[in-house]
Short mmCIF file of all heavy atoms in Angstrom, two decimals:
data_model
loop_
_atom_site.label_atom_id
_atom_site.label_comp_id
_atom_site.label_asym_id
_atom_site.label_seq_id
_atom_site.Cartn_x
_atom_site.Cartn_y
_atom_site.Cartn_z
N LEU A 1 0.84 -1.20 0.00
CA LEU A 1 0.00 0.00 0.00
C LEU A 1 0.88 1.25 0.00
O LEU A 1 0.61 2.22 -0.73
CB LEU A 1 -0.93 0.00 1.21
CG LEU A 1 -1.85 1.20 1.36
CD1 LEU A 1 -2.84 1.26 0.20
CD2 LEU A 1 -2.57 1.14 2.68
N SER A 2 1.93 1.25 0.80
CA SER A 2 2.84 2.39 0.84
C SER A 2 3.54 2.58 -0.51
O SER A 2 3.69 3.71 -0.98
CB SER A 2 3.87 2.18 1.95
OG SER A 2 4.79 3.24 1.97
N LEU A 3 3.97 1.49 -1.13
CA LEU A 3 4.59 1.58 -2.44
C LEU A 3 3.61 2.13 -3.48
O LEU A 3 3.97 2.97 -4.31
CB LEU A 3 5.12 0.21 -2.87
CG LEU A 3 5.85 0.16 -4.21
CD1 LEU A 3 7.10 1.02 -4.16
CD2 LEU A 3 6.17 -1.27 -4.57
N GLY A 4 2.37 1.68 -3.42
CA GLY A 4 1.34 2.21 -4.32
C GLY A 4 1.09 3.69 -4.10
O GLY A 4 0.89 4.44 -5.06
N MET A 5 1.12 4.11 -2.84
CA MET A 5 0.94 5.54 -2.55
C MET A 5 2.10 6.36 -3.10
O MET A 5 1.89 7.48 -3.60
CB MET A 5 0.79 5.75 -1.05
CG MET A 5 -0.52 5.24 -0.49
SD MET A 5 -0.59 5.23 1.31
CE MET A 5 -0.62 6.97 1.67
N VAL A 6 3.31 5.83 -3.02
CA VAL A 6 4.47 6.54 -3.57
C VAL A 6 4.32 6.68 -5.08
O VAL A 6 4.52 7.76 -5.65
CB VAL A 6 5.79 5.83 -3.20
CG1 VAL A 6 6.95 6.38 -4.01
CG2 VAL A 6 6.06 5.96 -1.73
N ILE A 7 3.97 5.59 -5.73
CA ILE A 7 3.81 5.63 -7.19
C ILE A 7 2.71 6.60 -7.59
O ILE A 7 2.86 7.38 -8.53
CB ILE A 7 3.56 4.21 -7.73
CG1 ILE A 7 4.81 3.36 -7.56
CG2 ILE A 7 3.12 4.25 -9.19
CD1 ILE A 7 4.60 1.89 -7.86
N TRP A 8 1.60 6.55 -6.85
CA TRP A 8 0.50 7.44 -7.16
C TRP A 8 0.88 8.90 -6.91
O TRP A 8 0.57 9.79 -7.69
CB TRP A 8 -0.72 7.06 -6.34
CG TRP A 8 -1.96 7.83 -6.68
CD1 TRP A 8 -2.25 8.44 -7.86
CD2 TRP A 8 -3.06 8.09 -5.83
NE1 TRP A 8 -3.47 9.04 -7.79
CE2 TRP A 8 -3.99 8.84 -6.56
CE3 TRP A 8 -3.36 7.74 -4.54
CZ2 TRP A 8 -5.19 9.25 -6.02
CZ3 TRP A 8 -4.56 8.16 -4.00
CH2 TRP A 8 -5.46 8.90 -4.74
N GLY A 9 1.57 9.16 -5.82
CA GLY A 9 1.96 10.53 -5.48
C GLY A 9 2.97 11.12 -6.45
O GLY A 9 2.99 12.32 -6.68
N VAL A 10 3.81 10.26 -7.03
CA VAL A 10 4.82 10.75 -7.96
C VAL A 10 4.25 10.94 -9.36
O VAL A 10 4.59 11.90 -10.06
CB VAL A 10 6.03 9.79 -7.97
CG1 VAL A 10 6.99 10.10 -9.10
CG2 VAL A 10 6.76 9.85 -6.65
N THR A 11 3.38 10.04 -9.80
CA THR A 11 2.88 10.10 -11.17
C THR A 11 1.69 11.04 -11.35
O THR A 11 1.44 11.49 -12.46
CB THR A 11 2.48 8.70 -11.67
OG1 THR A 11 1.47 8.18 -10.80
CG2 THR A 11 3.67 7.78 -11.69
N ARG A 12 0.97 11.33 -10.31
CA ARG A 12 -0.21 12.21 -10.42
C ARG A 12 0.14 13.62 -9.95
O ARG A 12 1.09 13.83 -9.22
CB ARG A 12 -1.36 11.68 -9.57
CG ARG A 12 -1.74 10.26 -9.86
CD ARG A 12 -2.77 10.20 -10.97
NE ARG A 12 -3.33 8.86 -11.07
CZ ARG A 12 -3.02 8.03 -12.04
NH1 ARG A 12 -2.17 8.38 -12.96
NH2 ARG A 12 -3.55 6.83 -12.09
N GLN A 13 -0.66 14.55 -10.34
CA GLN A 13 -0.50 15.94 -9.90
C GLN A 13 -1.29 16.15 -8.61
O GLN A 13 -2.28 16.87 -8.57
CB GLN A 13 -1.00 16.90 -10.99
CG GLN A 13 -0.15 16.96 -12.21
CD GLN A 13 1.23 17.53 -11.91
OE1 GLN A 13 1.41 18.28 -10.97
NE2 GLN A 13 2.20 17.14 -12.71
N THR A 14 -0.86 15.47 -7.57
CA THR A 14 -1.51 15.62 -6.27
C THR A 14 -0.59 16.41 -5.35
O THR A 14 0.56 16.68 -5.68
CB THR A 14 -1.78 14.24 -5.64
OG1 THR A 14 -0.53 13.57 -5.46
CG2 THR A 14 -2.67 13.39 -6.50
N GLY A 15 -1.11 16.74 -4.22
CA GLY A 15 -0.27 17.40 -3.23
C GLY A 15 0.69 16.41 -2.59
O GLY A 15 0.76 15.23 -2.97
N SER A 16 1.41 16.88 -1.63
CA SER A 16 2.39 16.01 -0.99
C SER A 16 1.77 15.18 0.15
O SER A 16 2.48 14.39 0.77
CB SER A 16 3.55 16.83 -0.44
OG SER A 16 3.08 17.74 0.52
N ALA A 17 0.47 15.32 0.39
CA ALA A 17 -0.17 14.59 1.49
C ALA A 17 -0.11 13.09 1.27
O ALA A 17 0.06 12.32 2.22
CB ALA A 17 -1.61 15.04 1.64
N VAL A 18 -0.25 12.65 0.03
CA VAL A 18 -0.18 11.21 -0.27
C VAL A 18 1.21 10.68 0.07
O VAL A 18 1.36 9.60 0.64
CB VAL A 18 -0.54 10.95 -1.74
CG1 VAL A 18 -0.34 9.49 -2.10
CG2 VAL A 18 -1.96 11.37 -2.03
N LEU A 19 2.23 11.46 -0.25
CA LEU A 19 3.60 11.03 0.02
C LEU A 19 3.91 11.08 1.52
O LEU A 19 4.70 10.26 2.01
CB LEU A 19 4.59 11.87 -0.77
CG LEU A 19 4.53 11.64 -2.28
CD1 LEU A 19 5.41 12.64 -3.00
CD2 LEU A 19 4.93 10.23 -2.62
N TRP A 20 3.32 12.03 2.23
CA TRP A 20 3.50 12.04 3.68
C TRP A 20 2.91 10.77 4.29
O TRP A 20 3.49 10.15 5.18
CB TRP A 20 2.83 13.26 4.30
CG TRP A 20 3.65 14.50 4.26
CD1 TRP A 20 3.42 15.59 3.47
CD2 TRP A 20 4.82 14.80 5.02
NE1 TRP A 20 4.38 16.53 3.69
CE2 TRP A 20 5.25 16.08 4.64
CE3 TRP A 20 5.54 14.10 5.97
CZ2 TRP A 20 6.38 16.67 5.19
CZ3 TRP A 20 6.66 14.69 6.52
CH2 TRP A 20 7.07 15.96 6.13
N GLY A 21 1.73 10.37 3.81
CA GLY A 21 1.11 9.14 4.29
C GLY A 21 1.95 7.92 3.96
O GLY A 21 2.10 7.00 4.77
N ALA A 22 2.51 7.90 2.75
CA ALA A 22 3.37 6.78 2.36
C ALA A 22 4.63 6.73 3.23
O ALA A 22 5.08 5.64 3.61
CB ALA A 22 3.75 6.91 0.89
N LEU A 23 5.16 7.88 3.57
CA LEU A 23 6.34 7.92 4.42
C LEU A 23 6.03 7.42 5.82
O LEU A 23 6.79 6.62 6.39
CB LEU A 23 6.91 9.35 4.48
CG LEU A 23 8.10 9.55 5.41
CD1 LEU A 23 9.27 8.69 4.97
CD2 LEU A 23 8.49 11.01 5.45
N VAL A 24 4.92 7.83 6.38
CA VAL A 24 4.54 7.38 7.72
C VAL A 24 4.29 5.87 7.71
O VAL A 24 4.77 5.15 8.59
CB VAL A 24 3.30 8.14 8.23
CG1 VAL A 24 2.72 7.51 9.47
CG2 VAL A 24 3.65 9.59 8.48
N LEU A 25 3.58 5.39 6.73
CA LEU A 25 3.30 3.96 6.64
C LEU A 25 4.58 3.15 6.43
O LEU A 25 4.77 2.10 7.04
CB LEU A 25 2.31 3.71 5.50
CG LEU A 25 1.60 2.36 5.46
CD1 LEU A 25 0.87 2.09 6.76
CD2 LEU A 25 0.63 2.35 4.29
N GLY A 26 5.47 3.64 5.59
CA GLY A 26 6.74 2.97 5.38
C GLY A 26 7.61 2.97 6.63
O GLY A 26 8.27 1.98 6.94
N ALA A 27 7.60 4.07 7.37
CA ALA A 27 8.39 4.14 8.61
C ALA A 27 7.83 3.19 9.66
O ALA A 27 8.60 2.54 10.39
CB ALA A 27 8.41 5.56 9.14
N VAL A 28 6.52 3.09 9.76
CA VAL A 28 5.92 2.15 10.72
C VAL A 28 6.27 0.71 10.33
O VAL A 28 6.62 -0.11 11.18
CB VAL A 28 4.39 2.37 10.81
CG1 VAL A 28 3.72 1.23 11.55
CG2 VAL A 28 4.09 3.69 11.47
N ASN A 29 6.20 0.40 9.03
CA ASN A 29 6.57 -0.94 8.58
C ASN A 29 8.03 -1.24 8.88
O ASN A 29 8.37 -2.35 9.31
CB ASN A 29 6.33 -1.09 7.07
CG ASN A 29 4.89 -1.30 6.75
OD1 ASN A 29 4.12 -1.75 7.58
ND2 ASN A 29 4.52 -0.99 5.53
N ALA A 30 8.90 -0.28 8.65
CA ALA A 30 10.33 -0.48 8.93
C ALA A 30 10.55 -0.67 10.43
O ALA A 30 11.37 -1.50 10.84
CB ALA A 30 11.13 0.71 8.42
N GLY A 31 9.81 0.07 11.25
CA GLY A 31 9.92 -0.10 12.70
C GLY A 31 9.46 -1.47 13.17
O GLY A 31 10.09 -2.09 14.02
N VAL A 32 8.39 -1.97 12.59
CA VAL A 32 7.91 -3.31 12.95
C VAL A 32 8.90 -4.37 12.49
O VAL A 32 9.16 -5.33 13.21
CB VAL A 32 6.50 -3.55 12.37
CG1 VAL A 32 6.09 -4.99 12.51
CG2 VAL A 32 5.49 -2.64 13.05
N ALA A 33 9.47 -4.20 11.31
CA ALA A 33 10.48 -5.15 10.83
C ALA A 33 11.72 -5.13 11.72
O ALA A 33 12.30 -6.19 12.02
CB ALA A 33 10.86 -4.84 9.38
N TRP A 34 12.11 -3.96 12.16
CA TRP A 34 13.25 -3.86 13.08
C TRP A 34 12.93 -4.53 14.40
O TRP A 34 13.75 -5.24 14.97
CB TRP A 34 13.60 -2.39 13.29
CG TRP A 34 14.66 -2.18 14.33
CD1 TRP A 34 16.00 -2.35 14.19
CD2 TRP A 34 14.44 -1.78 15.69
NE1 TRP A 34 16.64 -2.07 15.37
CE2 TRP A 34 15.70 -1.72 16.31
CE3 TRP A 34 13.30 -1.46 16.42
CZ2 TRP A 34 15.84 -1.35 17.63
CZ3 TRP A 34 13.46 -1.11 17.74
CH2 TRP A 34 14.72 -1.05 18.33
N TRP A 35 11.71 -4.34 14.92
CA TRP A 35 11.29 -4.96 16.16
C TRP A 35 11.28 -6.48 16.02
O TRP A 35 11.69 -7.20 16.93
CB TRP A 35 9.90 -4.44 16.55
CG TRP A 35 9.39 -5.04 17.81
CD1 TRP A 35 9.71 -4.70 19.09
CD2 TRP A 35 8.45 -6.11 17.92
NE1 TRP A 35 9.02 -5.47 19.98
CE2 TRP A 35 8.24 -6.35 19.29
CE3 TRP A 35 7.75 -6.86 16.99
CZ2 TRP A 35 7.37 -7.32 19.75
CZ3 TRP A 35 6.90 -7.84 17.44
CH2 TRP A 35 6.72 -8.06 18.81
N MET A 36 10.82 -6.98 14.87
CA MET A 36 10.84 -8.42 14.64
C MET A 36 12.27 -8.94 14.57
O MET A 36 12.55 -10.07 14.96
CB MET A 36 10.11 -8.77 13.34
CG MET A 36 8.63 -8.64 13.44
SD MET A 36 7.67 -9.01 11.95
CE MET A 36 8.82 -9.40 10.71
N ASN A 37 13.19 -8.14 14.08
CA ASN A 37 14.58 -8.55 13.95
C ASN A 37 15.26 -8.67 15.31
O ASN A 37 16.22 -9.42 15.45
CB ASN A 37 15.34 -7.56 13.07
CG ASN A 37 16.70 -8.07 12.68
OD1 ASN A 37 16.92 -9.27 12.57
ND2 ASN A 37 17.62 -7.16 12.48
N LEU A 38 14.77 -7.96 16.31
CA LEU A 38 15.37 -8.04 17.64
C LEU A 38 15.25 -9.44 18.22
O LEU A 38 16.19 -9.96 18.81
CB LEU A 38 14.72 -7.03 18.59
CG LEU A 38 15.00 -5.56 18.29
CD1 LEU A 38 14.22 -4.70 19.27
CD2 LEU A 38 16.47 -5.27 18.38
N ASN A 39 14.10 -10.06 18.09
CA ASN A 39 13.88 -11.41 18.59
C ASN A 39 12.86 -12.11 17.69
O ASN A 39 11.66 -12.06 17.96
CB ASN A 39 13.38 -11.36 20.04
CG ASN A 39 13.29 -12.73 20.66
OD1 ASN A 39 13.64 -13.73 20.05
ND2 ASN A 39 12.78 -12.77 21.88
N PRO A 40 13.30 -12.77 16.63
CA PRO A 40 12.35 -13.38 15.71
C PRO A 40 11.57 -14.54 16.32
O PRO A 40 10.46 -14.83 15.89
CB PRO A 40 13.22 -13.87 14.55
CG PRO A 40 14.62 -13.69 14.93
CD PRO A 40 14.67 -12.87 16.16
N ARG A 41 12.12 -15.17 17.33
CA ARG A 41 11.40 -16.28 17.98
C ARG A 41 10.13 -15.78 18.67
O ARG A 41 9.17 -16.53 18.81
CB ARG A 41 12.30 -16.96 19.00
CG ARG A 41 13.49 -17.58 18.38
CD ARG A 41 13.28 -19.05 18.22
NE ARG A 41 14.43 -19.63 17.57
CZ ARG A 41 14.33 -20.40 16.52
NH1 ARG A 41 13.17 -20.64 16.00
NH2 ARG A 41 15.40 -20.90 15.97
N ARG A 42 10.13 -14.54 19.11
CA ARG A 42 8.96 -13.96 19.78
C ARG A 42 7.75 -14.00 18.85
O ARG A 42 6.65 -14.31 19.26
CB ARG A 42 9.29 -12.53 20.20
CG ARG A 42 8.15 -11.75 20.73
CD ARG A 42 8.55 -10.37 21.17
NE ARG A 42 9.56 -9.77 20.30
CZ ARG A 42 10.40 -8.84 20.68
NH1 ARG A 42 10.38 -8.40 21.91
NH2 ARG A 42 11.26 -8.33 19.83
N LEU A 43 7.98 -13.74 17.58
CA LEU A 43 6.90 -13.75 16.60
C LEU A 43 6.37 -15.17 16.42
O LEU A 43 5.16 -15.39 16.37
CB LEU A 43 7.41 -13.19 15.27
CG LEU A 43 6.40 -13.01 14.16
CD1 LEU A 43 5.41 -11.93 14.54
CD2 LEU A 43 7.10 -12.66 12.88
N LEU A 44 7.27 -16.14 16.33
CA LEU A 44 6.84 -17.52 16.16
C LEU A 44 6.15 -18.05 17.41
O LEU A 44 5.18 -18.81 17.32
CB LEU A 44 8.04 -18.41 15.81
CG LEU A 44 8.68 -18.13 14.46
CD1 LEU A 44 9.87 -19.03 14.25
CD2 LEU A 44 7.68 -18.28 13.34
N GLN A 45 6.63 -17.66 18.59
CA GLN A 45 5.99 -18.10 19.83
C GLN A 45 4.60 -17.51 19.97
O GLN A 45 3.67 -18.20 20.41
CB GLN A 45 6.85 -17.73 21.02
CG GLN A 45 8.12 -18.53 21.12
CD GLN A 45 9.08 -17.97 22.15
OE1 GLN A 45 8.85 -16.91 22.72
NE2 GLN A 45 10.18 -18.68 22.37
N ALA A 46 4.43 -16.26 19.57
CA ALA A 46 3.10 -15.64 19.63
C ALA A 46 2.14 -16.33 18.66
O ALA A 46 0.98 -16.55 18.99
CB ALA A 46 3.21 -14.16 19.32
N ALA A 47 2.63 -16.68 17.48
CA ALA A 47 1.79 -17.37 16.51
C ALA A 47 1.45 -18.78 17.01
O ALA A 47 0.34 -19.27 16.82
CB ALA A 47 2.48 -17.45 15.17
N HIS A 48 2.41 -19.41 17.66
CA HIS A 48 2.17 -20.76 18.19
C HIS A 48 1.16 -20.73 19.33
O HIS A 48 0.30 -21.60 19.42
CB HIS A 48 3.49 -21.37 18.66
CG HIS A 48 3.35 -22.78 19.13
ND1 HIS A 48 3.05 -23.81 18.27
CD2 HIS A 48 3.46 -23.32 20.37
CE1 HIS A 48 2.98 -24.94 18.97
NE2 HIS A 48 3.22 -24.66 20.24
#
């Protein structure tokens, strides 16, 4: 969804609000991936 928002924000004549949303969503995703990287077993244990 974030990648789609970036593509849409760059190719269309929209304001920068779409790109701000894509940046926030991408940063949250990166933060969750970093959190998962700290202890990947935690994710598997929660799923189990």
Side-chain angles (χ1 to χ4, degrees):
L1 179 65
S2 178
L3 182 63
M5 289 170 69
V6 168
I7 292 171
W8 186 25
V10 169
T11 59
R12 305 272 191 255
Q13 290 295 334
T14 61
S16 61
V18 175
L19 292 173
W20 277 109
L23 176 61
V24 168
L25 196 56
V28 168
N29 282 337
V32 170
W34 174 79
W35 179 79
M36 287 179 358
N37 191 30
L38 291 177
N39 186 3
R41 297 260 178 231
R42 173 178 37 205
L43 185 67
L44 294 178
Q45 290 169 354
H48 184 68

